[in-house]
Amino acid sequence: MSAGSRIVFTRFISGDSPKLRPWVAHLNRVTVSTPTVAVPLEGLESGAVVWQLVSANNREIARSAGVHSTFDEAAESARRAVAISTELDIELVSESTRGTYGWMARVGDSAVMTCARWYPTNRDRTTSILLAIRCLASAELLSGARLINPSLLAPAVDSHEP
């Protein structure tokens, strides 16, 4: 099996998770021209799931343009993104006050994915778009899950043993 681009999922404990807020802030800034994408954090008390397109060396290439309340919803969104990768329209966005460039991929009025970060030049943005489109078309969605925090793999210590 060759290593290539893949879709990975991140689960947040709730909509109040401090780690989710920067994700949503980025999403809302990139999709500012698409108000229907704005992510409400209410209703995510039982958790939130997002997906990312990553390279073989785990570098983030693109992000889902949505925050999902369940893993199944996020997985379906990712499968759909891979299936329609040749139909995506790219919308160029920028933050003139910061002098940065970004992008969003959509089909019709539906945002599918966004840039993973803001870029300092238009050339960097263009390279990012080409890489994301190429990698999305061949991305793998692997079944199963793995822990990403090595400290969670340590055996539990029983405080009652001598």
Side-chain angles (χ1 to χ4, degrees):
M1 176 171 102
S2 64
S5 59
R6 64 195 184 290
I7 305 278
V8 297
F9 299 89
T10 302
R11 182 179 183 277
F12 302 95
I13 299 297
S14 75
D16 291 332
S17 171
K19 300 271 187 186
L20 178 60
R21 292 196 180 279
W23 181 285
V24 171
H26 174 77
L27 178 59
N28 288 336
R29 283 195 344 253
V30 172
T31 61
V32 70
S33 67
T34 311
T36 57
V37 176
V39 177
L41 296 178
E42 302 80 32
L44 296 173
E45 293 80 17
S46 61
V49 182
V50 296
W51 60 262
Q52 299 165 269
L53 175 64
V54 299
S55 65
N57 66 354
N58 293 320
R59 190 175 127 240
E60 186 181 27
I61 298 170
R63 295 179 173 190
S64 61
V67 176
H68 308 279
S69 59
T70 67
F71 174 78
D72 289 339
E73 286 177 12
E76 181 54 34
S77 168
R79 277 191 286 277
R80 181 175 177 271
V82 171
I84 63 172
S85 62
T86 60
E87 302 169 31
L88 296 174
D89 294 317
I90 303 299
E91 181 177 327
L92 305 179
V93 297
S94 62
E95 289 190 321
S96 57
T97 57
R98 295 175 62 202
T100 55
Y101 302 88
W103 58 269
M104 171 179 38
R106 63 171 69 234
V107 171
D109 292 336
S110 298
V112 175
M113 69 180 181
T114 70
C115 53
R117 62 183 185 87
W118 291 95
Y119 300 93
T121 68
N122 186 43
R123 180 178 173 193
D124 292 333
R125 171 176 60 189
T126 301
T127 301
S128 166
I129 293 166
L130 295 173
L131 179 63
I133 297 300
R134 188 176 76 232
C135 289
L136 182 64
S138 63
E140 287 186 72
L141 277 83
L142 302 177
S143 59
R146 64 186 171 111
L147 295 172
I148 59 171
N149 183 344
S151 67
L152 296 176
L153 298 174
V157 177
D158 188 352
S159 61
H160 298 293
E161 288 186 351

